[in-house]
Amino acid sequence: MNLIIRLLITAGVAFLLTKVLPGVHFDGFSSAIIFAIVLGLLNTFVRPILGFFGLPLTILTLGLFSLVINALIILLAEYFISGMVVDGFWWAFIFSILLSLCTSLVGSLLTDGD
C-alpha cells in the first residue's frame, strides 16, 4: 500500500510540476502515472549502475554529480514514455531537483511516520 501511495504522490507532483515548468510536458495524468512507475524501475535498476560508474565524479564534485545522474534518469524515462516530452537536459535537471524536493515534502506531510 505504501508503494502505491508513493507512486501516486510522485505522479501527482510530476503532473503539477509540468504546469509550472514550460520545458516538461505530459499528455495527461495517465502519462504521469506511467512516468512514476518507469522512474521507480529506473531508480531501482539503472541508477545504481550509473552511481557506481559516476562515483569518482561524485566524490570529486562533493556529491553534485548525483544531480546530473538524476537528470539523466529523467531523460531516460522520457525516452521510454511516449506521453512525456522534456525539452532538454537543463529542463530535466530542474525538473529532477524540484521533483525530489516536492515529493519529499508531500510524502513527509501525508505519511504518519510508519
Side-chain angles (χ1 to χ4, degrees), residues 37-60:
I37 294 169
V38 170
L39 186 66
L41 290 171
L42 289 173
N43 280 332
T44 301
F45 297 109
V46 177
R47 182 170 171 71
I49 296 168
L50 290 177
F52 175 75
F53 288 115
L55 186 62
L57 284 174
T58 303
I59 292 171
L60 188 65

Side-chain angles (χ1 to χ4, degrees), residues 60-102:
L60 188 65
T61 62
L62 303 175
L64 292 177
F65 188 70
S66 63
L67 297 174
V68 174
I69 292 174
N70 286 345
L72 292 175
I73 293 291
I74 296 294
L75 290 172
L76 193 58
E78 181 224 359
Y79 176 76
F80 290 117
I81 301 169
S82 61
M84 179 183 182
V85 175
V86 179
D87 290 339
F89 173 79
W90 291 110
W91 285 115
F93 187 78
I94 294 167
F95 181 72
S96 69
I97 291 172
L98 291 176
L99 184 67
S100 298
L101 291 174
C102 293

Side-chain angles (χ1 to χ4, degrees), residues 4 6-19 24-40 74 77 81-85 95 99 103:
I4 294 171
R6 285 187 293 160
L7 286 174
L8 288 175
I9 289 171
T10 302
V13 168
F15 187 73
L16 290 176
L17 281 176
T18 60
K19 303 300 180 190
V24 183
H25 313 281
F26 283 120
D27 286 344
F29 189 69
S30 60
S31 296
I33 292 175
I34 294 170
F35 166 75
I37 294 169
V38 170
L39 186 66
I74 296 294
I81 301 169
S82 61
M84 179 183 182
V85 175
F95 181 72
L99 184 67
T103 54

